[in-house]
Amino acid sequence: SNFSLSCPAGTYNPDVGAANDTACISCPGGSYCPEGSEAPLPCPGGTYNPLTEAVDEFACIDCPSGNYCPQGSVSPTPCPAGTHNPGILAATTFSCTVCPSGSYCPQGSTTPLTCTLGHYCYSGSAAPTPCSNGTYSNTSGAPDASRCQPCIEGYYCPDLATVVPVACPAGYYCPLGTSVPIECPSGNTCPPGSPTPTQCGAGTYGSSPATSCTTCPVGSFCPAGSAVPQVCPSGNYCPE
């Protein structure tokens, strides 16, 4: 031939000796190919192009917030969990900033999310960490586990991430930091909300789990802390 023809825009040909336009290859995503290209030109860092056969750099789209786009990206790459990126045109993970304490950042976050009630969030948290059983937290934005308070006396905190402690039921007692109510021991009484058992006084008794102390019946006697009445012994009498 006494002339050559350029491969059309949106295609390229890396080889010599081509005889026709079938040698011109579609430009791949993440790049663009002006007319007569020998190789695709990658989209600049901070942009991406999901389409094939792009003809110029205008096909390269600004990388959205919450992502980064290295040179030649076909699609945005989400910022790793535990980081965030509020800006556009990020080219590397260096634009993905560590999530601050008191907040959490799922993958692809644009802004940190406030740590939820019943949880705490260390710096770099991808998700809130629940307060353990026997503790509670009724404030948001907690930066560490020190904000998980021991369950208050007379209450229990049965679940992870407890926000509101539950009142100790009758027949049980709940000291500081209780996750499961403790059955009231014999010889004691435990009305609702008891932090400790209360010993039954002389002349009364309490069977477990006792919610109140019962008066000792006639013909029996009950020292302090009695679980059951004792039969009055011979040679004695035991009035009411």
Side-chain angles (χ1 to χ4, degrees):
S1 175
N2 60 358
F3 64 92
S4 64
L5 297 174
S6 299
C7 279
T11 67
Y12 72 101
N13 175 23
D15 301 318
V16 298
N20 53 54
D21 62 3
T22 59
C24 300
I25 306 167
S26 292
C27 203
S31 60
Y32 61 98
C33 300
E35 181 180 349
S37 292
E38 296 179 3
L41 299 174
C43 283
T47 68
Y48 72 101
N49 173 26
L51 305 177
T52 60
E53 300 185 351
V55 301
D56 56 34
E57 191 175 328
F58 291 110
C60 302
I61 305 166
D62 290 351
C63 199
S65 57
N67 297 267
Y68 65 99
C69 300
Q71 184 185 63
S73 290
V74 175
S75 61
T77 302
C79 282
T83 69
H84 68 103
N85 172 27
I88 62 173
L89 296 172
T92 68
T93 53
F94 290 114
S95 296
C96 301
T97 307
V98 174
C99 207
S101 59
S103 303
Y104 67 102
C105 299
Q107 184 185 59
S109 290
T110 58
T111 57
L113 302 173
T114 302
C115 203
T116 51
L117 297 173
H119 297 78
Y120 59 95
C121 299
Y122 290 121
S123 174
S125 291
T129 302
C131 290
S132 60
N133 304 75
T135 69
Y136 76 103
S137 174
N138 56 10
T139 58
S140 59
D144 53 54
S146 69
R147 301 297 178 88
C148 300
Q149 300 297 313
C151 209
I152 55 181
E153 294 181 338
Y155 291 78
Y156 68 104
C157 299
D159 303 315
L160 295 174
T162 293
V163 177
V164 180
V166 182
C168 207
Y172 296 82
Y173 68 100
C174 300
L176 185 72
T178 296
S179 59
V180 178
I182 305 166
E183 187 173 284
C184 200
S186 298
N188 293 267
T189 181
C190 298
S194 292
T196 57
T198 301
Q199 187 181 64
C200 288
T204 65
Y205 69 98
S207 300
S208 181
T211 57
S212 62
C213 297
T214 305
T215 301
C216 207
V218 175
S220 302
F221 73 103
C222 300
S226 291
V228 294
Q230 299 181 42
V231 177
C232 199
S234 59
N236 294 267
Y237 68 96
C238 299
E240 186 176 350

